[in-house]
Amino acid sequence: MCGIVGYLGNRDGLDVVLSGLRRLEYRGYDSAGIAMPVDGSIEWRKKAGKIANLAAAIEQDPLPGSGVAIGHTRWATHGAPTDANSHPHVAGRVAIVHNGIIENHDALRAELDGAEFSSETDSEVAAHLLGRELDGGAGLVDAMRAVSTKLEGAFTLVAIDAQDPQRIVAARRNSPLVVGKGDGEYFVASDVAAFIEYTRDAVELGQDQIVEITPDGVSVTSFDGGPAQTKDFHVDWDLEAAQKQGFDWYMRKEIFEQPKAVADTLLGRLNERGELVLDELRISPETLRRINKIVIVAAGTSFYAGLVAKYAIEHWTRIPCEVELASEFRYRDPIVDPMTLVVTISQSGETADTLMAIRHAREQHAKVVAICNTNGATIPRESDAVIYTHAGPEIGVASTKGFTTQLIACYLLGLYLAQVRGMKYGDEVAGLLRELERMPEAMQGVLDNQQPILDLAAELVDETSVLFLGRHVGYPVALEGALKLKELAYIHAEGFAAGELKHGPIALVSQDLPMFIVVPPRGRDQLRDKVISNIAEVRARGARTIVLAEAGDDDARAQASTFIELPRVSTLLQPLLAIVPLQLFACELATVKGHDVDQPRNLAKSVTVE
Ligand code: AGP
C-alpha cells in the first residue's frame, strides 16, 4: 500500500504534491519522491525514509517550479527501502509512480533487453515499457493503454512525459485512485486526503480505467478505449476522517482492508507453470528437503498465527512443528541445529523478543525464515530468508490485517514445503491455492454481516469477563479473540481449548457469562460434534453462547444465544474467517466503552524492548 499524488494546475506543483504526500504518509513511509516535466526533460528527487528526508533533499538541491508534478510515498513490497528503489521511476522522457504489485514483472523485465534498470522493483518495469511505447511514437495515453494490458496483478500507475508536459495519465486495476477537480486544476491520488484542502469535488473511478488530465479537464476511458463509468462525488469528510477513509478508527479500517490485504499477499505466488514460488525465500529446495523440524517463534498475535500454522504445516508436510513464545524460546535451551527451520512471525519486524530468539537460533546454525509485513525491518534483515505479507502499514496497535496476512504467508510456506518435499502434488497445491484465492470474497461476506456483532457489543458493554472456546485451529482463534478483547476493552478475557473446559475452566461458567465458541466446519465431524457437546455443557450452566459456525450448521445454531454465520471453508482455513467477528466485537465494545481503539492504554505498536 503506497501513497500517490499527481497535480496539474497553476499552483506550485512541488508544494501541492509534497503536502498531499504528507497526508498519505499513513499509507507508507519507507521512501518518497517527486518528478516533474521541465524544459523537455524529467526533473526528480527521491529519498529513502520519510517525506521529511525528501523535503530536506529538495531544500539542499531545489527543484524548478512546475505546475505539473507527480509524487509517491512507498510501502516497500519488492525491493528494500533504498533511494534506488524509491519512486518515481524514470525511463528517459517518462516518469511513473506505482501502487500495487505487478505479478508478471520478471517476465516483462526479460522482454526489456537493453533497458538499464536502476532498481530491483516491479514498478520500474512499467516505466521502461512506457518509455518504449513513447519512443515508438505513441502518445502518453496510448502508451499507458498498451502497457496496462500487458501488466498482471494490482496496479495504479501515474505517469508524465517530458515531451508532453501539460498532461498526466493514470491507469488503475485493483488498486485505489481518485480524481480531484478544482477550478482549472486537477489532482489524482490514492485517496481524497491528498487534495481535500484544495477541492472537495472528486471522481470515483472504476476498474481497468485510464485517466487523462490536461488543462482542459479530465477524461476517463476503459483500457480498450471505450467509454468508462465514473461517479462524481463531494467529499464531506474532514482530513482526519479522510485518512481513515471515513472509518472512526484505523483499526476498523484495517479490519475492513483484510480482503484486499489477503488478496495482495497472495499475488504473484505462482510461476508460469502454475507452481508455487516464494521468490523471497532464498533457501534452496535441497536445504528445505533436509529439514527435520520446524520451530515457529513469535509474540502476541503473531504467536497465535504460528499456532494456526502448526496445524497446517504438520498436516501438509509431516514435519514436526513446534511453536514457541519468543520471550521464552532462548531461555529454555531449545534443541535447534542445522536441520531445524526456525520461522519467525512479526508484523513490525522489530519485536525485541523475536529478534533475540532468531539471533540465538542462528548461533545454533539453524536456517531462519522471517514472515514480516515491514520491508527492510531488522528481523527480515537478520534472517536467511523472508516471506513478506502485503498488508500495507498497520496503524492500529491491535493487529488485525497483520494476523490474517500472516496466516496466508504461513499457509504459503506450508504448501511450498509440501511441494518441495514431494508431500503434495502440483494439482493438490494448486487446489488449495485456489481455495485461498476465494478467501477475500468469503471474508468480505463476514464483514458484510457485521450488524449482529455490533448489536452484541452494545448489549455486553458492562460485562467484566468473556470466555472464548475453540478446538484444533479454532483454539488459536479463541486465544487471539481473547487478546483483542483484553487489549481494547481492558476486561478479563480468556481463550481455552474447548476440550480443556472440563479440566477446570468450566468452574468459571456462571449465569449469562458471555462465551464465544468457534465451531469447526462439518468436514471434520468428530471435531465438530465434540464442540457442539461443549456448547451444551456451558449452556446447561447458564452461559450466554455466541456461536460462530458455518452456514447451515443447524445443530450449532440450536445451541446459540447469538449465532454468527461463517461461509463454508475447509477446516484449516477457517481461522481466516472466524477471527473477523472477534476483531469486530473487540473494536466495537471498546468504542462503546469510549476507549481509544487505535492506541490502547499501556501498549505500543512495536515492542522493541525485551
Ligand atoms: C497484537 O494485537 C499486539 N499488538 C501484540 O500482541 C503484537 O502482536 C506483538 O507485540 C507482536 O508484534 P509483531 O508482530 O510486530 O512482532
Side-chain angles (χ1 to χ4, degrees), residues 281-290 367 416 420:
L281 194 56
R282 292 191 311 276
I283 297 181
S284 71
E286 294 69 33
T287 302
L288 294 174
R289 279 191 273 272
R290 287 197 301 271
K367 287 291 183 197
Y416 185 79
V420 160

Side-chain angles (χ1 to χ4, degrees), residues 316-388:
W316 291 335
T317 68
R318 308 315 294 158
I319 304 172
C321 181
E322 297 169 11
V323 188
E324 292 282 346
L325 285 170
S327 54
E328 291 290 320
F329 175 68
R330 65 195 181 117
Y331 300 108
R332 72 166 183 81
D333 193 13
I335 301 166
V336 171
D337 63 26
M339 310 278 268
T340 306
L341 180 68
V342 171
V343 179
T344 71
I345 304 177
S346 176
Q347 189 284 132
S348 64
E350 299 298 344
T351 300
D353 289 327
T354 309
L355 180 58
M356 294 303 128
I358 63 174
R359 285 178 180 167
H360 181 82
R362 299 199 71 188
E363 286 161 12
Q364 317 302 315
H365 309 296
K367 287 291 183 197
V368 178
V369 176
I371 290 176
C372 188
N373 190 44
T374 309
N375 200 303
T378 307
I379 287 173
R381 279 207 316 271
E382 295 202 14
S383 300
D384 297 297
V386 62
I387 300 174
Y388 281 113

Side-chain angles (χ1 to χ4, degrees), residues 299-302 345-351 354 397-399 406 480 483-484 487 604-607:
T301 288
S302 303
I345 304 177
S346 176
Q347 189 284 132
S348 64
E350 299 298 344
T351 300
T354 309
V397 166
S399 186
Q406 285 166 353
E480 169 58 11
L483 176 60
K484 287 280 122 3
E487 286 188 282
K605 184 59 187 169
S606 177
V607 183

Side-chain angles (χ1 to χ4, degrees), residues 210-270:
I210 301 278
V211 181
E212 178 185 12
I213 293 177
T214 67
D216 300 330
V218 179
S219 111
V220 183
T221 52
S222 58
F223 277 5
D224 63 9
Q229 290 298 317
T230 60
K231 189 175 95 180
D232 290 355
F233 67 101
H234 184 81
V235 184
D236 49 18
W237 292 336
D238 63 19
L239 180 60
E240 191 193 358
Q243 288 171 321
K244 294 172 189 167
Q245 286 162 18
F247 288 98
D248 50 357
W249 304 109
Y250 278 113
M251 180 191 175
R252 202 187 302 269
K253 176 171 86 74
E254 288 152 7
I255 289 172
F256 280 81
E257 281 176 352
Q258 289 182 112
K260 172 97 173 54
V262 162
D264 285 352
T265 302
L266 285 166
L267 277 179
R269 304 295 188 181
L270 283 178

Side-chain angles (χ1 to χ4, degrees), residues 25-354:
E25 205 160 28
Y26 74 90
R27 298 179 62 86
Y29 36 77
D30 290 330
S31 64
I34 189 164
M36 50 184 65
V38 177
D39 301 338
S41 62
I42 297 286
E43 287 283 342
W44 48 273
R45 303 285 184 277
K46 57 185 190 176
K47 286 296 283 180
K50 295 204 167 190
I51 290 166
N53 284 14
L54 172 66
I58 295 171
E59 189 77 31
Q60 287 184 354
D61 180 10
L63 279 164
S66 168
V68 177
I70 61 174
H72 185 274
T73 182
R74 184 172 182 238
W75 183 261
T77 51
H78 289 84
T82 61
D83 291 358
N85 288 337
S86 311
H87 300 215
H89 289 288
V90 180
R93 57 191 274 196
V94 70
I96 65 110
V97 289
H98 168 232
N99 178 21
I101 297 166
I102 299 173
E103 286 189 84
N104 57 335
H105 66 95
D106 274 337
L108 292 170
R109 189 184 275 254
E111 282 177 27
L112 287 159
D113 54 334
E116 285 187 25
F117 283 85
S118 57
S119 80
E120 50 192 351
T121 66
D122 56 334
S123 309
E124 190 183 357
V125 168
H128 287 287
L129 288 171
L130 274 174
R132 285 278 166 99
E133 293 290 334
L134 293 172
D135 293 345
L140 190 54
V141 174
D142 291 341
M144 183 65 85
R145 218 183 287 288
V147 170
S148 298
T149 51
K150 288 185 176 183
L151 305 182
E152 292 168 13
F155 55 90
T156 295
L157 288 171
V158 178
I160 51 174
D161 172 6
Q163 313 298 324
D164 182 3
Q166 287 298 305
R167 196 181 310 273
I168 293 178
V169 174
R172 76 168 295 271
R173 167 180 285 170
N174 294 328
S175 187
L177 189 71
V178 63
V179 172
K181 294 166 81 168
D183 181 6
E185 58 181 4
Y186 304 95
F187 308 77
V188 280
S190 305
D191 72 47
V192 297
F195 55 70
I196 57 171
E197 70 175 289
Y198 305 106
T199 178
R200 288 178 173 272
D201 293 326
V203 180
E204 185 179 293
L205 301 171
Q207 185 74 315
D208 288 6
Q209 293 187 342
I210 301 278
V211 181
E212 178 185 12
I213 293 177
T214 67
D216 300 330
V218 179
S219 111
V220 183
T221 52
S222 58
F223 277 5
D224 63 9
Q229 290 298 317
T230 60
K231 189 175 95 180
D232 290 355
F233 67 101
H234 184 81
V235 184
D236 49 18
W237 292 336
D238 63 19
L239 180 60
E240 191 193 358
Q243 288 171 321
K244 294 172 189 167
Q245 286 162 18
F247 288 98
D248 50 357
W249 304 109
Y250 278 113
M251 180 191 175
R252 202 187 302 269
K253 176 171 86 74
E254 288 152 7
I255 289 172
F256 280 81
E257 281 176 352
Q258 289 182 112
K260 172 97 173 54
V262 162
D264 285 352
T265 302
L266 285 166
L267 277 179
R269 304 295 188 181
L270 283 178
N271 65 16
E272 56 280 358
R273 291 187 302 282
E275 292 161 340
L276 192 59
V277 289
L278 296 182
D279 46 14
E280 315 111 309
L281 194 56
R282 292 191 311 276
I283 297 181
S284 71
E286 294 69 33
T287 302
L288 294 174
R289 279 191 273 272
R290 287 197 301 271
I291 295 296
N292 63 12
K293 179 165 81 167
I294 293 171
V295 180
I296 298 175
V297 179
T301 288
S302 303
F303 172 71
Y304 299 140
L307 287 177
V308 173
K310 170 188 171 70
Y311 290 91
I313 290 174
E314 287 191 336
H315 182 64
W316 291 335
T317 68
R318 308 315 294 158
I319 304 172
C321 181
E322 297 169 11
V323 188
E324 292 282 346
L325 285 170
S327 54
E328 291 290 320
F329 175 68
R330 65 195 181 117
Y331 300 108
R332 72 166 183 81
D333 193 13
I335 301 166
V336 171
D337 63 26
M339 310 278 268
T340 306
L341 180 68
V342 171
V343 179
T344 71
I345 304 177
S346 176
Q347 189 284 132
S348 64
E350 299 298 344
T351 300
D353 289 327
T354 309

